[in-house]
mmCIF file of all heavy atoms in Angstrom:
data_model
loop_
_atom_site.group_PDB
_atom_site.id
_atom_site.type_symbol
_atom_site.label_atom_id
_atom_site.label_comp_id
_atom_site.label_asym_id
_atom_site.label_seq_id
_atom_site.Cartn_x
_atom_site.Cartn_y
_atom_site.Cartn_z
ATOM 1 N N ARG A 180 40.988 -120.586 -120.176
ATOM 2 C CA ARG A 180 40.672 -122.019 -120.204
ATOM 3 C C ARG A 180 39.264 -122.244 -120.736
ATOM 4 O O ARG A 180 38.330 -121.541 -120.359
ATOM 5 C CB ARG A 180 40.820 -122.613 -118.807
ATOM 6 C CG ARG A 180 40.447 -124.093 -118.737
ATOM 7 C CD ARG A 180 40.905 -124.771 -117.464
ATOM 8 N NE ARG A 180 40.524 -124.103 -116.235
ATOM 9 C CZ ARG A 180 40.370 -124.741 -115.074
ATOM 10 N NH1 ARG A 180 40.571 -126.048 -115.013
ATOM 11 N NH2 ARG A 180 40.048 -124.073 -113.990
ATOM 12 N N SER A 181 39.123 -123.216 -121.623
ATOM 13 C CA SER A 181 37.811 -123.611 -122.133
ATOM 14 C C SER A 181 37.892 -125.048 -122.628
ATOM 15 O O SER A 181 38.886 -125.445 -123.249
ATOM 16 C CB SER A 181 37.375 -122.694 -123.289
ATOM 17 O OG SER A 181 36.194 -123.197 -123.910
ATOM 18 N N ARG A 182 36.862 -125.818 -122.366
ATOM 19 C CA ARG A 182 36.820 -127.197 -122.847
ATOM 20 C C ARG A 182 36.424 -127.269 -124.330
ATOM 21 O O ARG A 182 36.551 -128.317 -124.946
ATOM 22 C CB ARG A 182 35.842 -128.021 -122.008
ATOM 23 C CG ARG A 182 36.305 -128.245 -120.573
ATOM 24 C CD ARG A 182 35.372 -129.187 -119.845
ATOM 25 N NE ARG A 182 35.784 -129.407 -118.470
ATOM 26 C CZ ARG A 182 36.710 -130.286 -118.088
ATOM 27 N NH1 ARG A 182 37.299 -131.048 -118.996
ATOM 28 N NH2 ARG A 182 37.036 -130.424 -116.817
ATOM 29 N N ASP A 183 35.958 -126.165 -124.878
ATOM 30 C CA ASP A 183 35.502 -126.131 -126.263
ATOM 31 C C ASP A 183 36.642 -125.657 -127.163
ATOM 32 O O ASP A 183 36.904 -124.458 -127.277
ATOM 33 C CB ASP A 183 34.298 -125.191 -126.377
ATOM 34 C CG ASP A 183 33.620 -125.256 -127.739
ATOM 35 O OD1 ASP A 183 34.285 -125.678 -128.720
ATOM 36 O OD2 ASP A 183 32.443 -124.868 -127.827
ATOM 37 N N VAL A 184 37.314 -126.601 -127.799
ATOM 38 C CA VAL A 184 38.461 -126.267 -128.646
ATOM 39 C C VAL A 184 38.039 -125.360 -129.801
ATOM 40 O O VAL A 184 38.730 -124.396 -130.145
ATOM 41 C CB VAL A 184 39.141 -127.542 -129.172
ATOM 42 C CG1 VAL A 184 40.297 -127.190 -130.118
ATOM 43 C CG2 VAL A 184 39.662 -128.393 -128.015
ATOM 44 N N SER A 185 36.917 -125.653 -130.407
ATOM 45 C CA SER A 185 36.442 -124.844 -131.532
ATOM 46 C C SER A 185 36.212 -123.400 -131.107
ATOM 47 O O SER A 185 36.535 -122.464 -131.848
ATOM 48 C CB SER A 185 35.142 -125.431 -132.100
ATOM 49 O OG SER A 185 35.361 -126.724 -132.638
ATOM 50 N N ALA A 186 35.665 -123.221 -129.914
ATOM 51 C CA ALA A 186 35.428 -121.865 -129.416
ATOM 52 C C ALA A 186 36.736 -121.138 -129.151
ATOM 53 O O ALA A 186 36.849 -119.929 -129.395
ATOM 54 C CB ALA A 186 34.588 -121.924 -128.139
ATOM 55 N N VAL A 187 37.735 -121.862 -128.673
ATOM 56 C CA VAL A 187 39.052 -121.260 -128.447
ATOM 57 C C VAL A 187 39.653 -120.806 -129.768
ATOM 58 O O VAL A 187 40.177 -119.687 -129.882
ATOM 59 C CB VAL A 187 39.990 -122.253 -127.731
ATOM 60 C CG1 VAL A 187 41.424 -121.712 -127.690
ATOM 61 C CG2 VAL A 187 39.501 -122.535 -126.320
ATOM 62 N N PHE A 188 39.574 -121.657 -130.778
ATOM 63 C CA PHE A 188 40.112 -121.305 -132.091
ATOM 64 C C PHE A 188 39.369 -120.104 -132.673
ATOM 65 O O PHE A 188 39.980 -119.200 -133.265
ATOM 66 C CB PHE A 188 40.009 -122.494 -133.044
ATOM 67 C CG PHE A 188 41.021 -123.583 -132.784
ATOM 68 C CD1 PHE A 188 41.939 -123.475 -131.748
ATOM 69 C CD2 PHE A 188 41.057 -124.719 -133.577
ATOM 70 C CE1 PHE A 188 42.875 -124.463 -131.503
ATOM 71 C CE2 PHE A 188 41.996 -125.716 -133.350
ATOM 72 C CZ PHE A 188 42.905 -125.589 -132.315
ATOM 73 N N ALA A 189 38.061 -120.082 -132.518
ATOM 74 C CA ALA A 189 37.273 -118.964 -133.040
ATOM 75 C C ALA A 189 37.658 -117.664 -132.341
ATOM 76 O O ALA A 189 37.764 -116.605 -132.984
ATOM 77 C CB ALA A 189 35.785 -119.243 -132.854
ATOM 78 N N ALA A 190 37.892 -117.741 -131.030
ATOM 79 C CA ALA A 190 38.286 -116.549 -130.280
ATOM 80 C C ALA A 190 39.664 -116.061 -130.734
ATOM 81 O O ALA A 190 39.907 -114.853 -130.821
ATOM 82 C CB ALA A 190 38.298 -116.851 -128.788
ATOM 83 N N CYS A 191 40.559 -116.990 -131.028
ATOM 84 C CA CYS A 191 41.892 -116.615 -131.514
ATOM 85 C C CYS A 191 41.787 -115.895 -132.853
ATOM 86 O O CYS A 191 42.424 -114.858 -133.069
ATOM 87 C CB CYS A 191 42.778 -117.853 -131.645
ATOM 88 S SG CYS A 191 43.365 -118.536 -130.075
ATOM 89 N N ARG A 192 40.975 -116.432 -133.744
ATOM 90 C CA ARG A 192 40.821 -115.796 -135.062
ATOM 91 C C ARG A 192 40.158 -114.420 -134.929
ATOM 92 O O ARG A 192 40.541 -113.470 -135.616
ATOM 93 C CB ARG A 192 40.005 -116.708 -135.983
ATOM 94 C CG ARG A 192 40.772 -117.936 -136.456
ATOM 95 C CD ARG A 192 40.114 -118.567 -137.677
ATOM 96 N NE ARG A 192 40.967 -119.594 -138.243
ATOM 97 C CZ ARG A 192 40.845 -120.898 -137.997
ATOM 98 N NH1 ARG A 192 39.892 -121.329 -137.173
ATOM 99 N NH2 ARG A 192 41.666 -121.767 -138.554
ATOM 100 N N ALA A 193 39.192 -114.325 -134.025
ATOM 101 C CA ALA A 193 38.526 -113.039 -133.811
ATOM 102 C C ALA A 193 39.497 -112.002 -133.261
ATOM 103 O O ALA A 193 39.326 -110.797 -133.491
ATOM 104 C CB ALA A 193 37.348 -113.217 -132.851
ATOM 105 N N ALA A 194 40.537 -112.473 -132.571
ATOM 106 C CA ALA A 194 41.558 -111.576 -132.024
ATOM 107 C C ALA A 194 42.662 -111.295 -133.037
ATOM 108 O O ALA A 194 43.663 -110.639 -132.705
ATOM 109 C CB ALA A 194 42.154 -112.181 -130.754
ATOM 110 N N GLY A 195 42.490 -111.787 -134.270
ATOM 111 C CA GLY A 195 43.464 -111.510 -135.326
ATOM 112 C C GLY A 195 44.668 -112.423 -135.331
ATOM 113 O O GLY A 195 45.700 -112.091 -135.938
ATOM 114 N N LEU A 196 44.550 -113.565 -134.696
ATOM 115 C CA LEU A 196 45.673 -114.503 -134.614
ATOM 116 C C LEU A 196 45.568 -115.595 -135.668
ATOM 117 O O LEU A 196 44.489 -116.140 -135.927
ATOM 118 C CB LEU A 196 45.709 -115.158 -133.230
ATOM 119 C CG LEU A 196 45.997 -114.220 -132.052
ATOM 120 C CD1 LEU A 196 45.537 -114.849 -130.745
ATOM 121 C CD2 LEU A 196 47.491 -113.895 -131.992
ATOM 122 N N ARG A 197 46.699 -115.917 -136.248
ATOM 123 C CA ARG A 197 46.785 -117.025 -137.198
ATOM 124 C C ARG A 197 47.113 -118.288 -136.401
ATOM 125 O O ARG A 197 48.052 -118.315 -135.605
ATOM 126 C CB ARG A 197 47.886 -116.728 -138.219
ATOM 127 C CG ARG A 197 48.035 -117.760 -139.319
ATOM 128 C CD ARG A 197 48.937 -117.192 -140.419
ATOM 129 N NE ARG A 197 49.178 -118.160 -141.472
ATOM 130 C CZ ARG A 197 50.236 -118.961 -141.527
ATOM 131 N NH1 ARG A 197 51.171 -118.878 -140.582
ATOM 132 N NH2 ARG A 197 50.384 -119.824 -142.511
ATOM 133 N N LEU A 198 46.364 -119.363 -136.614
ATOM 134 C CA LEU A 198 46.541 -120.606 -135.867
ATOM 135 C C LEU A 198 47.547 -121.508 -136.574
ATOM 136 O O LEU A 198 47.345 -121.912 -137.720
ATOM 137 C CB LEU A 198 45.207 -121.331 -135.729
ATOM 138 C CG LEU A 198 44.185 -120.662 -134.804
ATOM 139 C CD1 LEU A 198 42.783 -121.175 -135.101
ATOM 140 C CD2 LEU A 198 44.547 -120.925 -133.347
ATOM 141 N N VAL A 199 48.645 -121.800 -135.884
ATOM 142 C CA VAL A 199 49.688 -122.656 -136.444
ATOM 143 C C VAL A 199 49.940 -123.806 -135.469
ATOM 144 O O VAL A 199 50.295 -123.591 -134.318
ATOM 145 C CB VAL A 199 50.998 -121.885 -136.676
ATOM 146 C CG1 VAL A 199 52.054 -122.803 -137.278
ATOM 147 C CG2 VAL A 199 50.757 -120.690 -137.589
ATOM 148 N N ALA A 200 49.741 -125.022 -135.937
ATOM 149 C CA ALA A 200 49.934 -126.194 -135.095
ATOM 150 C C ALA A 200 51.340 -126.753 -135.267
ATOM 151 O O ALA A 200 51.877 -126.787 -136.374
ATOM 152 C CB ALA A 200 48.910 -127.271 -135.437
ATOM 153 N N ALA A 201 51.923 -127.180 -134.171
ATOM 154 C CA ALA A 201 53.221 -127.860 -134.210
ATOM 155 C C ALA A 201 52.961 -129.358 -134.239
ATOM 156 O O ALA A 201 52.321 -129.899 -133.330
ATOM 157 C CB ALA A 201 54.042 -127.491 -132.989
ATOM 158 N N ASP A 202 53.451 -130.013 -135.286
ATOM 159 C CA ASP A 202 53.218 -131.452 -135.437
ATOM 160 C C ASP A 202 54.429 -132.077 -136.110
ATOM 161 O O ASP A 202 54.889 -131.611 -137.161
ATOM 162 C CB ASP A 202 51.965 -131.702 -136.287
ATOM 163 C CG ASP A 202 51.655 -133.173 -136.453
ATOM 164 O OD1 ASP A 202 51.116 -133.778 -135.508
ATOM 165 O OD2 ASP A 202 51.980 -133.716 -137.526
ATOM 166 N N GLY A 203 54.941 -133.140 -135.506
ATOM 167 C CA GLY A 203 56.160 -133.762 -136.014
ATOM 168 C C GLY A 203 56.038 -134.398 -137.380
ATOM 169 O O GLY A 203 57.057 -134.703 -138.004
ATOM 170 N N TYR A 204 54.811 -134.597 -137.851
ATOM 171 C CA TYR A 204 54.606 -135.243 -139.152
ATOM 172 C C TYR A 204 54.183 -134.252 -140.239
ATOM 173 O O TYR A 204 53.783 -134.657 -141.328
ATOM 174 C CB TYR A 204 53.548 -136.343 -139.027
ATOM 175 C CG TYR A 204 53.958 -137.440 -138.068
ATOM 176 C CD1 TYR A 204 53.484 -137.457 -136.763
ATOM 177 C CD2 TYR A 204 54.837 -138.446 -138.461
ATOM 178 C CE1 TYR A 204 53.865 -138.451 -135.873
ATOM 179 C CE2 TYR A 204 55.225 -139.443 -137.586
ATOM 180 C CZ TYR A 204 54.735 -139.440 -136.293
ATOM 181 O OH TYR A 204 55.129 -140.426 -135.414
ATOM 182 N N ALA A 205 54.272 -132.983 -139.953
ATOM 183 C CA ALA A 205 53.863 -131.971 -140.930
ATOM 184 C C ALA A 205 54.760 -131.998 -142.158
ATOM 185 O O ALA A 205 55.926 -132.394 -142.092
ATOM 186 C CB ALA A 205 53.903 -130.588 -140.285
ATOM 187 N N GLU A 206 54.228 -131.553 -143.278
ATOM 188 C CA GLU A 206 55.011 -131.498 -144.514
ATOM 189 C C GLU A 206 55.954 -130.297 -144.506
ATOM 190 O O GLU A 206 57.087 -130.392 -144.979
ATOM 191 C CB GLU A 206 54.068 -131.425 -145.727
ATOM 192 C CG GLU A 206 53.247 -132.694 -145.939
ATOM 193 C CD GLU A 206 52.388 -132.594 -147.199
ATOM 194 O OE1 GLU A 206 52.516 -131.588 -147.930
ATOM 195 O OE2 GLU A 206 51.589 -133.514 -147.434
ATOM 196 N N ARG A 207 55.497 -129.187 -143.982
ATOM 197 C CA ARG A 207 56.331 -127.979 -143.917
ATOM 198 C C ARG A 207 57.113 -127.967 -142.618
ATOM 199 O O ARG A 207 56.632 -128.411 -141.576
ATOM 200 C CB ARG A 207 55.478 -126.721 -143.996
ATOM 201 C CG ARG A 207 54.636 -126.596 -145.228
ATOM 202 C CD ARG A 207 53.931 -125.252 -145.242
ATOM 203 N NE ARG A 207 54.842 -124.159 -145.571
ATOM 204 C CZ ARG A 207 54.635 -122.893 -145.235
ATOM 205 N NH1 ARG A 207 53.581 -122.559 -144.527
ATOM 206 N NH2 ARG A 207 55.497 -121.961 -145.591
ATOM 207 N N ASP A 208 58.338 -127.402 -142.694
ATOM 208 C CA ASP A 208 59.079 -127.277 -141.446
ATOM 209 C C ASP A 208 59.246 -125.803 -141.073
ATOM 210 O O ASP A 208 58.937 -124.895 -141.861
ATOM 211 C CB ASP A 208 60.419 -128.009 -141.498
ATOM 212 C CG ASP A 208 61.436 -127.396 -142.451
ATOM 213 O OD1 ASP A 208 61.344 -126.185 -142.748
ATOM 214 O OD2 ASP A 208 62.338 -128.128 -142.898
ATOM 215 N N LEU A 209 59.715 -125.589 -139.866
ATOM 216 C CA LEU A 209 59.800 -124.239 -139.318
ATOM 217 C C LEU A 209 60.733 -123.354 -140.130
ATOM 218 O O LEU A 209 60.483 -122.145 -140.288
ATOM 219 C CB LEU A 209 60.266 -124.319 -137.864
ATOM 220 C CG LEU A 209 60.249 -123.025 -137.059
ATOM 221 C CD1 LEU A 209 58.852 -122.443 -136.987
ATOM 222 C CD2 LEU A 209 60.783 -123.271 -135.653
ATOM 223 N N ASP A 210 61.799 -123.919 -140.677
ATOM 224 C CA ASP A 210 62.724 -123.124 -141.485
ATOM 225 C C ASP A 210 62.013 -122.506 -142.687
ATOM 226 O O ASP A 210 62.223 -121.331 -143.022
ATOM 227 C CB ASP A 210 63.883 -124.006 -141.977
ATOM 228 C CG ASP A 210 64.877 -124.321 -140.875
ATOM 229 O OD1 ASP A 210 64.821 -123.658 -139.816
ATOM 230 O OD2 ASP A 210 65.709 -125.233 -141.062
ATOM 231 N N ALA A 211 61.151 -123.298 -143.345
ATOM 232 C CA ALA A 211 60.437 -122.798 -144.518
ATOM 233 C C ALA A 211 59.492 -121.666 -144.140
ATOM 234 O O ALA A 211 59.356 -120.669 -144.860
ATOM 235 C CB ALA A 211 59.664 -123.935 -145.179
ATOM 236 N N VAL A 212 58.857 -121.817 -142.989
ATOM 237 C CA VAL A 212 57.918 -120.797 -142.529
ATOM 238 C C VAL A 212 58.663 -119.505 -142.190
ATOM 239 O O VAL A 212 58.209 -118.400 -142.516
ATOM 240 C CB VAL A 212 57.135 -121.311 -141.303
ATOM 241 C CG1 VAL A 212 56.264 -120.211 -140.710
ATOM 242 C CG2 VAL A 212 56.280 -122.512 -141.689
ATOM 243 N N ILE A 213 59.823 -119.650 -141.538
ATOM 244 C CA ILE A 213 60.634 -118.476 -141.195
ATOM 245 C C ILE A 213 61.118 -117.786 -142.467
ATOM 246 O O ILE A 213 61.033 -116.555 -142.605
ATOM 247 C CB ILE A 213 61.829 -118.887 -140.319
ATOM 248 C CG1 ILE A 213 61.331 -119.355 -138.950
ATOM 249 C CG2 ILE A 213 62.815 -117.738 -140.167
ATOM 250 C CD1 ILE A 213 62.415 -119.976 -138.091
ATOM 251 N N ASP A 214 61.623 -118.582 -143.415
ATOM 252 C CA ASP A 214 62.138 -118.016 -144.668
ATOM 253 C C ASP A 214 61.052 -117.283 -145.457
ATOM 254 O O ASP A 214 61.335 -116.294 -146.146
ATOM 255 C CB ASP A 214 62.744 -119.119 -145.534
ATOM 256 C CG ASP A 214 64.023 -119.685 -144.947
ATOM 257 O OD1 ASP A 214 64.597 -119.037 -144.040
ATOM 258 O OD2 ASP A 214 64.442 -120.785 -145.360
#
Side-chain angles (χ1 to χ4, degrees):
R180 177 166 52 154
S181 172
R182 292 186 181 277
D183 189 338
V184 177
S185 296
V187 171
F188 285 1
C191 286
R192 287 198 171 97
L196 295 160
R197 183 168 177 265
L198 290 161
V199 181
D202 181 78
Y204 298 99
E206 293 183 5
R207 301 185 75 203
D208 68 24
L209 188 60
D210 285 346
V212 174
I213 292 171
D214 291 344

